[in-house]
Amino acid sequence: MDELHLANYSLSASRPEESPAEETANPLPRAVLRMNNHMLLDGTWHFAEDAKDAGLRDNWALGHTYEHAAQWPGSVEEHLAQARGHQNGPTWQDQVVVWYEREFQLPEVAESQQRSMLQLTFGACGYETRVWLNGKPLKTIEGEEIHLGEYTSFSYELDEENLHLVNRLTVRIADTMDAELPRGKQESHVYKRGGIWYQTYTGAVRSVWLEVVERNRLRSRVGVVSAVEDQLVRFNLTLRIHDAGAYTIRLQAFEADTKDRTTPLATSDFPLQLAAGQWQQRLVLEVPGASLWSPEVPNRYRLVAQLIHADGYAAQIETLFGLRKIEARGRYVYLNNEPVYLDGILYQPGQATYEEMQRHMHAMKELGCNLVRVHIAGIDPRIYNLADELGLLLWVEVPSPHSSTARSRQNHRAELLRLVTLSETHPSIVIWSLYNEDWGAQDIATNPETRQYIVEMYHFMQIAYPQFLVVDNDGWHHVSYTGRLKSDLLTAHLYTPDLGRWRELLDRLVGGELEGTAAFPLVVGDPFFYRRQVPLIVSEWGGFGFPDYGGPQDAEARTNTIRAFKQELRNRPIAGDVYTQATNIEDERNGLLDPHTGALSVPTGLLNSRQPAPETGS
């Protein structure tokens, strides 16, 4: 039988008073570690295209002859091209259905089956995923027969009665170019590939693994909200309970790199009477003397959280967290109660590998950025961990649908909730955008229903996730309701290669001219009067490629242009900016670093302007 990999996991489910295994790099695409075993199911799978969508009708899950093989993780596009002999042209149009299958041996499990079970997790897969084990359909822990979404993980608990010594796992993946689905910058029926719109990249895009989990446990989801003035941390935990009864949640905070788990910096027990099901629970821990997390000093601490049964058995998870506070107050953004200028860069990872994204993050830090705007993409959550470690603020965004309808808004909300639930651990994530440049909200200026949805989601995020700033629609067409901006930041996308025109646009922006500055009016809805009561962010600018992209003649000219444009930003009461962009991607040839190696094509520190901003009057 196959053995479970240990890596940064102990030999079995966690127990009190046991020493954890020595840590190595996290092999799984998630932020929260479970101290148990796992077995990656990555590698070669059987593969078939279901061009006539006959697999469900013909019961392929009960048995099918697969003509091809595919490497998981990978994309539908790559696997179709390989199956077709790498023919030129698009691999699919309108819709695609594919099937994957593999066998695995039942792993040896040290734990008692009365306490534990096997769990199957997909790091990300989609857009529409169905899974069968030995021909029997599975439901996710949330009860979904069909999982929707392609950016976040989802899990299945495997019934012992359906497990054999050798097991057959079958996966059906379907996707369409439906403009009402969250697509980000992948092409659709509305936006076709070319220019700023990219080829589709969907399917089996992240790892899949088996692991031993306790029947009664804390799930690998931890939200963190800190009150830095009082050194309090609120942890939002998700509990999965099969056996109702009396439990205790024990929270312990340690130094991030300590090997000693016997003397925590802080500890507290919380007795609970729990019914069967899945539950959310908020708990508060005081961490006296804790240092704050910031880009300059990214201090982190280790949370060890245990769900302890009445008999003393403990199910344990661990994660790193930081204490930090982000606010939009007046014309500045405040981090830990101190004003901070956001030296940002737009980042579109596209089909970059995890290793390439690691190099990108280090390079963006070398450029002098303290902020990275991850542009409408769902990325490997280990990159969030790296940003926490490096001290990079992250501005993340919901991959947008491409049309504005009641259904697209429903899909948008579901995608937002999936993303934020699995990313609220990280001190680096400070800003969320709901939409960008009206993509998926094209009628924002004329449809009260679209604006009402955005207002409601803004209010929801304020209440449910107060650790983030929220932007309603980045770039222009921000929503005003009763004269109140429903965005924590007033952002504008300003593009021009002419320095004189640049000065004019910035002057109009800081002067409160909401029309004629960006491509469309900056605010829609009820009248809004800008009087420096909200931070201004130029959230896209530059785009300076070389001559074939309408930019400077050479690298030196581009460097000098960026310096001059950046100085004009700092000469005005602007709270931050986001240069466009980090890497070349498909038709966009305006990157500052190599997409493969991360090597910079401009001097280090070019985007670092963090010195006191000149005052230009009140």
Side-chain angles (χ1 to χ4, degrees), residues 63-195:
H64 180 70
T65 300
Y66 291 82
E67 298 180 357
H68 306 287
Q71 290 297 307
W72 192 310
S75 69
V76 163
E77 292 73 21
E78 174 189 5
H79 297 157
L80 286 176
Q82 292 170 348
R84 297 170 182 174
H86 296 277
Q87 299 174 5
N88 293 328
T91 54
W92 64 278
Q93 291 289 337
D94 187 41
Q95 62 182 5
V96 63
V97 179
V98 293
W99 291 69
Y100 297 81
E101 189 169 277
R102 66 156 289 169
E103 291 184 345
F104 67 89
Q105 290 185 322
L106 187 66
E108 296 180 358
V109 177
E111 274 309 307
S112 163
Q113 294 301 299
Q114 293 180 343
R115 292 199 184 276
S116 65
M117 60 176 57
L118 281 177
Q119 179 174 280
L120 173 70
T121 299
F122 291 78
C125 186
Y127 182 75
E128 176 187 300
T129 306
R130 301 186 192 215
V131 181
W132 293 260
L133 178 65
N134 299 321
K136 181 179 179 180
L138 300 181
K139 290 184 180 181
T140 66
I141 294 177
E142 286 70 32
E144 307 163 311
E145 291 186 359
I146 304 172
H147 175 77
L148 301 179
E150 60 183 68
Y151 306 106
T152 54
S153 64
F154 52 99
S155 298
Y156 302 86
E157 294 171 337
L158 303 186
D159 186 348
E160 185 179 359
E161 295 180 357
N162 193 36
L163 285 166
H164 307 152
L165 288 179
V166 178
N167 298 274
R168 181 167 50 88
L169 187 63
T170 309
V171 181
R172 177 187 183 272
I173 300 173
D175 202 353
T176 77
M177 292 192 182
D178 183 349
E180 293 180 316
L181 300 182
R183 306 199 55 76
K185 293 184 75 171
Q186 299 181 73
E187 68 171 313
S188 70
H189 295 316
V190 172
Y191 300 122
K192 293 301 182 181
R193 182 181 178 186

Side-chain angles (χ1 to χ4, degrees), residues 361 371-372 374 383-384 387 392-396 428-431:
M361 298 294 282
L371 172 79
V372 174
V374 183
I383 292 301
Y384 302 146
L392 277 170
L393 302 169
L394 295 181
W395 177 341
V396 294
S428 57
I429 299 179
V430 294
I431 304 172

Side-chain angles (χ1 to χ4, degrees), residues 48-57 60 80 96-99 172:
E49 180 181 6
D50 189 0
K52 297 181 180 179
D53 196 9
L56 291 175
R57 182 189 67 235
W60 285 15
L80 286 176
V96 63
V97 179
V98 293
W99 291 69
R172 177 187 183 272

